[in-house]
Amino acid sequence: MTAEPVKITLFDLDHADVQDISRQLATQTPGLTPEQIPGSRYGEPTMLVLAVACATPTIHALAAWAMKNRRKQRIELRAKVLYSDGSEVDRSAVLSFSESDAPDAQVIKQLIDGLGLQGLPEGDDGGNP
């Protein structure tokens, strides 16, 4: 059995990013609450770290946040992914926006591929892992 992703810890976020992602998560699923961690715990005092359960609504919330910030045309997202077997992997997703792509589908694909979330169950309803 392949280990499934259960938690994503996002790095290098500012306060506005954390607020936007938290708002998007609340919209997608009220029961999925992120854990905000001060960046100083990771040696980066001005940045915030956000830990969220790995579920389909999380990916949709991150995609909605990215789409809101698409004016940047490129977003790099650093993360640590915790898998069900206890292993952790540092990952990076580069989200680039193109007028020719279907925006939502392309951003979701870039998130899943970049963060290595291919093991996420298709029908996950966002409950706790």
Side-chain angles (χ1 to χ4, degrees):
M1 183 171 122
T2 305
E4 294 180 358
V6 295
K7 181 177 170 183
I8 307 170
T9 303
L10 304 168
F11 297 96
D12 304 331
L13 300 172
D14 62 23
H15 186 69
D17 290 333
V18 170
Q19 294 303 313
D20 285 346
I21 293 169
S22 296
R23 220 178 346 267
Q24 292 297 332
L25 278 170
T27 300
Q28 295 289 334
T29 177
L32 198 60
T33 307
E35 172 191 1
Q36 186 173 327
I37 304 167
S40 58
R41 209 165 117 186
Y42 290 92
E44 300 176 31
T46 61
M47 292 296 180
L48 297 173
V49 178
L50 192 67
V52 293
C54 191
T56 300
T58 302
I59 301 303
H60 289 283
L62 290 175
W65 164 77
M67 292 302 295
K68 182 178 176 185
N69 290 294
R70 76 180 287 169
R71 69 187 173 284
K72 297 177 185 176
Q73 293 195 349
R74 178 183 159 97
I75 298 173
E76 186 166 344
L77 192 59
R78 282 190 328 116
K80 183 178 294 268
V81 180
L82 172 67
Y83 291 88
S84 57
D85 64 0
S87 63
E88 292 183 323
V89 178
D90 290 326
R91 302 294 302 227
S92 178
V94 177
L95 309 176
S96 53
F97 304 99
S98 162
E99 295 301 321
S100 62
D101 295 328
D104 293 340
Q106 185 63 28
V107 169
I108 289 171
K109 181 179 179 349
Q110 290 175 8
L111 280 168
I112 289 172
D113 292 348
L115 297 178
L117 303 178
Q118 291 82 3
L120 188 62
E122 286 292 321
D124 193 330
D125 64 359
N128 290 328

